[in-house]
């Protein structure tokens, strides 16, 4: 970490795998680049950024050609007020109505083991997530059906907020700790404990594969 006198320019970093049939429709995965200065940001939000980058690498390495474009977004200035994602949403860079889903990662260092989908999308998500249902028997992945309608309101303090407030779906993975590492995120968040030794490599590996399979699957739906 470095301290310097401001103002300092911030930049979003966005990777694109262009869609072959619907290049102006999008599936997005993202996390934020900046971190609180009291530690190294190993969990908040390196544990979100790394699976996004690795999912992009996995899809590219496999020669994936999705029907829709997939955006891999590393946002700037989240900790100061969601600056990077807010700018993206409000600047009209993409048509928000053509975003199928935005997957945001900005929480505990655990691994995705499920997702809740609205009834209208439930069968599609079951189809998309079938390859990861029992990919790792220790980390089974389950698709749940939402019992309440999706609400679009102030979504809180992470980068999905301005997407949600503009009626962009932002379904998120259910993160769990199946192997019992028992890190308490409340003791990591914005503290000097937010270090790389709080990141769990096997959970990061699994999160990367889950992210790659799900975003690629949604990008290929009819």
């Amino acid at each position: 970490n470095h301290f310097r006198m401001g103002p300092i320019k911030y930049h979003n970093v966005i990777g694109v795998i262009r869609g072959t049939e619907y290049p102006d429709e999008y599936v997005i995965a993202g996390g934020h680049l900046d971190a609180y200065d009291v530690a190294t940001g190993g969990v908040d939000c390196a544990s979100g950024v790394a699976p996004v980058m690795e999912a992009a690498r996995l899809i590219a390495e496999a020669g994936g050609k999705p029907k829709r474009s997939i955006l891999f977004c590393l946002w700037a200035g989240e900790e100061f007020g969601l600056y990077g994602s807010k700018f993206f949403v409000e600047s009209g860079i993409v048509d928000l109505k053509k975003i199928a889903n935005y997957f945001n990662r900005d929480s505990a260092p655990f691994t995705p083991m499920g997702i809740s989908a609205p009834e209208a999308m439930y069968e599609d998500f079951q189809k998309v997530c079938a390859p990861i249902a029992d990919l790792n028997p220790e980390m089974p992945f389950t698709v749940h059906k939402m019992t309440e309608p999706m609400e679009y309101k102030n979504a809180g303090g992470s980068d999905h907020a301005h997407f949600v407030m503009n009626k962009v779906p932002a379904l998120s993975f259910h993160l769990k700790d199946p192997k019992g590492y028992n890190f308490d995120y409340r003791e990591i968040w914005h503290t000097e404990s937010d270090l790389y030794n709080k990141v769990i490599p096997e959970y990061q590996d699994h999160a990367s594969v889950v992210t790659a399979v799900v975003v690629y699957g949604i990008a290929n739906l009819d």
Side-chain angles (χ1 to χ4, degrees):
N1 293 328
H2 300 277
F3 293 91
R4 66 184 75 170
M5 295 297 293
I8 297 171
K9 289 185 178 181
Y10 279 79
H11 302 273
N12 293 326
V13 178
I14 298 176
V16 183
I17 297 179
R18 192 71 60 190
T20 57
E21 295 185 29
Y22 314 111
D24 62 343
E25 297 182 15
Y26 308 91
V27 183
I28 304 176
H32 66 86
L33 282 169
D34 63 321
Y36 259 58
D37 54 24
V38 292
T40 58
V43 173
D44 185 13
C45 185
S47 70
V49 166
V52 171
M53 295 177 67
E54 178 64 358
R57 191 195 68 81
L58 288 168
I59 294 170
E61 184 74 14
K65 303 292 182 184
K67 293 179 181 179
R68 289 170 184 78
S69 295
I70 305 174
L71 304 184
F72 304 90
C73 298
L74 312 182
W75 306 115
E78 189 270 351
E79 299 291 7
F80 297 106
L82 315 179
Y83 288 158
S85 54
K86 182 175 186 288
F87 172 83
F88 182 89
V89 168
E90 294 180 349
S91 64
I93 294 172
V94 304
D95 184 348
L96 300 180
K97 294 179 181 178
K98 293 187 176 183
I99 300 175
N101 196 72
Y102 169 51
F103 292 93
N104 190 62
R105 170 85 187 235
D106 182 25
S107 58
F110 301 140
T111 199
M113 291 180 58
I115 194 166
S116 294
E119 186 171 0
M121 301 167 69
Y122 179 71
E123 290 186 4
D124 280 337
F125 266 87
Q126 282 191 309
K127 173 184 173 182
V128 165
C129 297
I132 54 174
D134 56 0
L135 175 67
N136 184 333
E138 294 182 305
M139 305 174 195
F141 192 94
T142 306
V143 180
H144 305 272
K145 188 180 292 185
M146 281 185 176
T147 57
E148 300 291 335
M150 294 179 68
E151 294 184 5
Y152 297 97
K153 57 185 180 180
N154 187 327
S158 193
D159 287 306
H160 64 291
H162 289 281
F163 287 92
V164 169
M165 288 187 286
N166 284 275
K167 294 183 167 57
V168 175
L171 306 178
S172 58
F173 295 124
H174 303 161
L175 301 182
K176 296 185 179 181
D177 180 21
K179 304 197 79 172
Y181 286 92
N182 294 320
F183 288 145
D184 187 342
Y185 184 53
R186 294 168 298 179
E187 296 178 1
I188 299 172
W189 183 63
H190 293 179
T191 73
E192 67 277 9
S193 295
D194 190 358
L195 301 167
Y196 293 111
N197 64 353
K198 299 298 194 300
V199 177
I200 304 165
E202 60 187 318
Y203 286 177
Q204 291 278 283
D205 288 344
H206 189 68
S208 302
V209 175
V210 167
T211 302
V213 169
V214 174
V215 299
Y216 189 77
I218 292 175
N220 279 317
L221 288 171
D222 294 334

